[in-house]
Amino acid sequence: MTTPRQPGSGGSGGSSGSGGARRQPPRPSSGRVQPPRGQSARGQSAEPTKGQPARGQGAKPSASGAGRAQPGRGSVARPSAASGKPQPARSAQPGRGPAPKAGAARTPRAPQQRQGDGRRPPGARPRPRPPQRPKALRLAEPRRRLRVITVVMSLVFSVFAGRLVQLQLLDSDALAADANTNRYLNIPITAERGSITSSDGVALAATVDAYDITADPVMFTPEATGIPDAPEQAAALLSPIIGVPKEKLAADLHTPKTRYKRLAAQQTPAAKNQISDLKAGLEKQAGSRTCQAQKKLMGKPAEQGGRTRVDDQCANPLAGVFNRETQKRIYPADGLASNLVGFVNGEGEGAGGLELQFQKQLAGKDGRSSYAQAGGRLVPTAGGSMDPAVPGSDFRLTINRDIQWAAQKAITDQVANSGAEKGYVVVQDVKTGQVIAMATAPGFNPGDLSSAKQSQLGNAALQDAYEPGSTAKLMSLAAVLDSGKANWDTRVTVPNRLVRAGQQFKDDVEHGDWYLTLAGVLAKSSNIGTIEAVEALGDGDQAKANQALDAYMRKFGVARPTGLNFPGETPGMLKKPEDLVASEKYNIAFGQGPLQMNALQATSVYSTIANGGVRVAPGIVQGVTGPDGKYVPTPAGEETRVVSEQTAKTLTSMLESVVDDEQGTGGKAAIPGYRVAGKTGTANRGAADGKGYDGYTASFIGFAPADAPRYTVSCTLQGPVNGHFGGQLCGPVFKQVMEFTLKTMQVPPSGSQAPNLPVEWKP
């Protein structure tokens, strides 16, 4: 055993130089001895480089340290004899022989002494610290952990399962319905409205393509558009195009609880295209990369660069605006036959005339289309449904367009010339009862109602009930002749005044005693002569006479609907015989008092005589073409025998005297080449308040050719101021319209002369 070497003793224990190179602590050994660096496996040292110490070798050792193995790299740690801790093995020194064998007893080294100032002596190596044993990881009990995880996962899956059951089983129908409600749009399909044409098929009212401008208010919310004022911006863009105030548009768009709102109806294709182009431009601008990037940041937190709105140039406020194809009602003939055709309201529904009367048939049946949408665009693969619309029926009227124009022009001119409040002309086919023309003045343009007065929107020829005056004398004399109480040549003495029921009756002119035939009473339109003739019906009993006259008047169609069922049509008025009092029992004979008619009823009386005493119910519709394209003609009007054919023939000859005789009152109605039968009428006009009379009603009604009647024309003026006699004011209108009608319908002139029945007799 050798005595351990004291480090630092003798003053030469270190390497040469100032301290030498400091050795690194040895690495832990794997259990076997590794040869030190610089030494071969057989224990021979490698040849050191000239002038340098060998690797693993310090400076030349001192004499006291000779033969001691020095710890070096690759040496094995050995346990200390005193502490039992492993110590690093020393490496063999060059020239000292092989390293000690493993297991050889080693004298433990004394601890190195520190200098008085606490510093290690120069050249001393630090003692390596022994490696610390790692603390053992204590694991939790695995069974308890598994139970906790199982319970937690069970609770989570239970919540998921419950929610799944609710969605798939309990609320599935409601949720599906809500989803479809938000996803699918139901758009009504307007049925094409049927047309109204003249007898030759020319449109008086037609339908053209138009567009309803609609919107989905949900698509104008800040969440959908990215801007807070999308409704206001859209309203500002749309208002000048569709002509709707901005305030109203904005209010309509601020209704997010509905998915459909119509902003404007029946817009032109030009307006629709303008909106579509504007919408496409905004959509292209909003689809730029910059705008798309802004939209992706919508709703994100501020720390992530989120935005609460996009820039105005990146928003498309018209994204929720759409158009729906529909129709617009037009009236190509402007105001022609407008009193008959009528008009539609802003919703495209009939509001007057035939448009109102046949609203259901004309309108057809609307359909409905349902389609899926996303962002306002159609999703073609998502399916949908469609219930097609059924178009309306087309109505062909009996109105002749050319004759209607002539009648409308003639009455319009005469209303202006006479200063009348209004007037109307009716043209009727005596064989079929069909109305060929029905014109009123002043009229209106159904395509532009803004300039029309409320009083002009109706059809006065059917809606006005007036006292006909002398034109009603035809019914009184027809009753007398048909009952056999008199003949055309029955002599009647007509005084200047006639007192009945305490009242004096007179004619329209002052005269001495007239000695007239019954034909003369009609020709000179004598009120007194008519009263005397009607008295014969009762053989001196006026009540009985009134009963007989009432029966004939009702057969002529007085106080009964014409059969047209026109909106607002008046049936007229005829007081019952037992209700007549005082003078009413007598003035009813010449068309005043308890008798009121409309213009078509009065025209029909003359058509009945022209048709040989058979009344044909008037008609205005020639036929109807249904949605299936099949044309169905209107059945012929009901026929009623009113007077005998002989009575009708006699009355026709008597009416010719009114026009042809120099003493007749209807000379201005004569038409060269045609025999004309007609009667003038001048009546006191009832006041608007129903009390007394105010002004006059002037009229003329006749038919031609009298030898083979084809058409009846009536003219009526209400409240003329430039004259008031029917022959003077309406005679020329009758002539103008009848002459045009006969030529238009190519009716040949009369082939014989009028009979010229005597109107007077000499006492």
Side-chain angles (χ1 to χ4, degrees):
M1 301 286 293
T2 60
T3 304
R5 184 167 63 118
Q6 299 293 329
S9 61
S12 61
S15 60
S16 62
S18 59
R22 180 175 295 179
R23 297 181 181 272
Q24 296 295 327
R27 295 180 181 177
S29 174
S30 60
R32 63 187 185 129
V33 178
Q34 297 291 336
R37 291 190 179 184
Q39 184 174 353
S40 66
R42 294 184 180 181
Q44 301 297 324
S45 78
E47 184 70 21
T49 305
K50 185 177 181 180
Q52 296 292 336
R55 192 171 184 178
Q57 180 180 350
K60 183 176 180 180
S62 61
S64 61
R68 301 285 184 182
Q70 300 295 328
R73 295 180 183 178
S75 61
V76 179
R78 296 181 179 86
S80 172
S83 63
K85 294 182 179 179
Q87 298 293 329
R90 296 178 182 267
S91 60
Q93 297 296 324
R96 299 284 182 165
K101 293 182 180 180
R106 301 284 299 193
T107 302
R109 291 178 61 185
Q112 293 182 355
Q113 300 296 322
R114 292 182 178 269
Q115 295 180 4
D117 57 1
R119 293 181 293 121
R120 287 193 184 93
R125 289 185 295 113
R127 186 176 182 179
R129 293 182 179 179
Q132 296 182 356
R133 181 181 299 175
K135 295 182 179 180
L137 178 63
R138 186 176 182 180
L139 300 178
E141 186 177 353
R143 293 183 179 179
R144 180 181 299 175
R145 179 186 301 173
L146 182 60
R147 285 196 295 267
V148 172
I149 294 176
T150 303
V151 170
V152 172
M153 294 300 294
S154 298
L155 291 175
V156 172
F157 280 111
S158 297
V159 172
F160 288 165
R163 182 59 175 165
L164 185 62
V165 170
Q166 180 187 8
L167 295 177
Q168 295 292 333
L169 299 179
L170 302 180
D171 297 340
S172 60
D173 294 339
L175 292 173
D178 290 343
N180 287 334
T181 299
N182 295 327
R183 183 184 182 190
Y184 286 88
L185 287 180
N186 292 317
I187 305 298
I189 303 175
T190 304
E192 182 178 355
R193 190 173 181 86
S195 63
I196 300 176
T197 69
S198 59
S199 60
D200 56 355
V202 177
L204 300 175
T207 298
V208 295
D209 290 338
Y211 297 88
D212 285 349
I213 305 303
T214 65
D216 181 356
V218 173
M219 299 179 67
F220 289 85
T221 59
E223 296 79 10
T225 60
I227 54 177
D229 59 343
E232 287 72 19
Q233 291 193 27
L237 294 171
L238 294 175
S239 180
I241 301 176
I242 62 180
V244 179
K246 292 186 293 185
E247 296 75 15
K248 184 179 185 305
L249 290 174
D252 288 341
L253 296 177
H254 274 296
T255 54
K257 291 185 179 181
T258 178
R259 300 302 304 268
Y260 179 82
K261 200 77 175 180
R262 185 167 68 175
L263 304 180
Q266 299 181 348
Q267 295 295 302
T268 63
K272 171 256 183 183
N273 292 335
Q274 187 175 355
I275 294 173
S276 298
D277 293 342
L278 182 58
K279 179 179 177 180
L282 292 172
E283 185 175 355
K284 182 178 180 181
Q285 180 176 318
S288 65
R289 291 184 178 180
T290 302
C291 294
Q292 291 297 323
Q294 291 186 15
K295 293 177 181 178
K296 290 181 179 179
L297 296 176
M298 289 290 295
K300 290 188 176 181
E303 56 270 18
Q304 298 181 13
R307 302 175 63 101
T308 58
R309 60 164 295 166
V310 297
D311 296 338
D312 285 345
Q313 62 267 25
C314 290
N316 181 6
L318 298 184
V321 176
F322 309 95
N323 60 76
R324 180 171 67 90
E325 187 174 354
T326 182
Q327 296 89 34
K328 182 178 181 179
R329 200 64 163 172
I330 62 169
Y331 301 90
D334 294 332
L336 188 67
S338 60
N339 58 302
L340 267 176
V341 174
F343 54 93
V344 296
N345 58 22
E347 301 297 323
E349 299 173 348
L354 298 177
E355 293 272 32
L356 174 60
Q357 180 179 352
F358 299 116
Q359 162 63 21
K360 185 176 181 180
Q361 297 94 317
L362 287 167
K365 183 180 179 182
D366 291 346
R368 184 168 295 275
S369 174
S370 175
Y371 66 88
Q373 60 86 30
R377 296 177 179 273
L378 174 66
V379 181
T381 59
S385 62
M386 176 177 289
D387 182 14
V390 179
S393 299
D394 297 330
F395 283 74
R396 174 173 291 192
L397 306 184
T398 59
I399 298 297
N400 182 286
R401 192 164 45 97
D402 296 332
I403 297 175
Q404 177 71 26
W405 175 85
Q408 202 156 313
K409 182 178 186 304
I411 194 62
T412 300
D413 293 345
Q414 191 64 322
V415 165
N417 295 336
S418 65
E421 178 184 324
K422 55 186 170 182
Y424 16 89
V425 168
V426 178
V427 181
Q428 186 178 25
D429 187 319
V430 301
K431 299 296 183 183
T432 64
Q434 294 179 346
V435 177
I436 305 302
M438 183 179 287
T440 63
F444 66 94
N445 183 353
D448 181 16
L449 299 178
S450 60
S451 59
K453 297 179 180 179
Q454 183 64 34
S455 59
Q456 298 172 351
L457 299 181
N459 187 354
L462 292 171
Q463 296 170 338
D464 279 2
Y466 62 92
E467 298 178 25
S470 294
T471 55
K473 291 173 181 176
L474 180 64
M475 292 186 288
S476 299
L477 297 185
V480 173
L481 291 174
D482 198 61
S483 62
K485 299 298 181 179
N487 214 335
W488 71 266
D489 56 355
T490 298
R491 297 180 177 185
V492 181
T493 300
V494 181
N496 188 45
R497 294 290 188 274
L498 182 67
V499 178
R500 291 290 187 273
Q503 180 176 341
Q504 287 189 350
F505 292 90
K506 63 178 184 178
D507 292 322
D508 58 346
V509 295
E510 296 292 333
H511 61 83
D513 289 344
W514 282 345
Y515 301 98
L516 304 176
T517 63
L518 198 58
V521 170
L522 190 62
K524 296 177 74 69
S525 193
S526 172
N527 295 337
I528 296 175
T530 304
I531 291 175
E532 292 177 329
V534 170
E535 287 179 335
L537 288 173
D539 298 326
D541 184 347
Q542 190 60 35
K544 184 178 178 180
N546 289 135
Q547 289 282 357
L549 181 59
D550 180 86
Y552 274 96
M553 285 186 170
R554 294 186 186 278
K555 285 198 295 182
F556 273 109
V558 178
R560 292 169 49 192
T562 61
L564 297 184
N565 298 318
F566 194 85
E569 176 186 346
T570 176
M573 187 269 287
L574 179 60
K575 213 170 189 179
K576 295 181 179 180
E578 58 271 22
D579 295 333
L580 298 175
V581 296
S583 61
E584 291 180 343
K585 298 177 181 179
Y586 301 94
N587 54 21
I588 191 174
F590 53 85
Q592 294 271 196
L595 169 64
Q596 293 181 354
M597 307 173 68
N598 64 44
L600 182 57
Q601 288 173 328
T603 306
S604 180
V605 171
Y606 283 74
S607 294
T608 298
I609 300 302
N611 194 38
V614 177
R615 180 182 183 274
V616 181
I620 197 71
V621 178
Q622 190 177 88
V624 180
T625 301
D628 57 356
K630 184 179 180 180
Y631 176 77
V632 179
T634 302
E638 181 182 358
E639 297 184 359
T640 304
R641 168 67 67 179
V642 179
V643 297
S644 66
E645 185 175 358
Q646 182 58 46
T647 299
K649 185 176 181 179
T650 301
L651 288 170
T652 299
S653 298
M654 294 169 64
L655 289 171
E656 286 189 83
S657 299
V658 175
V659 177
D660 292 338
D661 194 275
E662 60 183 10
Q663 297 189 53
T665 58
K668 291 184 177 292
I671 300 175
Y674 293 91
R675 291 168 57 180
V676 176
K679 181 70 183 74
T680 60
T682 304
N684 291 317
R685 185 185 182 206
D689 58 4
K691 299 178 181 179
Y693 292 97
D694 180 19
Y696 294 91
T697 297
S699 61
F700 185 94
I701 308 176
F703 52 86
D707 53 332
R710 289 287 307 276
Y711 299 100
T712 300
V713 174
S714 69
C715 166
T716 307
L717 290 170
Q718 299 290 355
V721 294
N722 301 325
H724 64 275
F725 290 112
Q728 175 190 0
L729 297 177
C730 274
V733 175
F734 168 89
K735 176 183 179 180
Q736 182 179 343
V737 175
M738 179 62 84
E739 191 171 23
F740 185 88
T741 300
L742 294 174
K743 290 181 179 179
T744 300
M745 306 306 289
Q746 300 181 352
V747 178
S750 298
S752 59
Q753 298 296 320
N756 295 322
L757 300 179
V759 298
E760 294 181 321
W761 58 276
K762 293 182 178 181

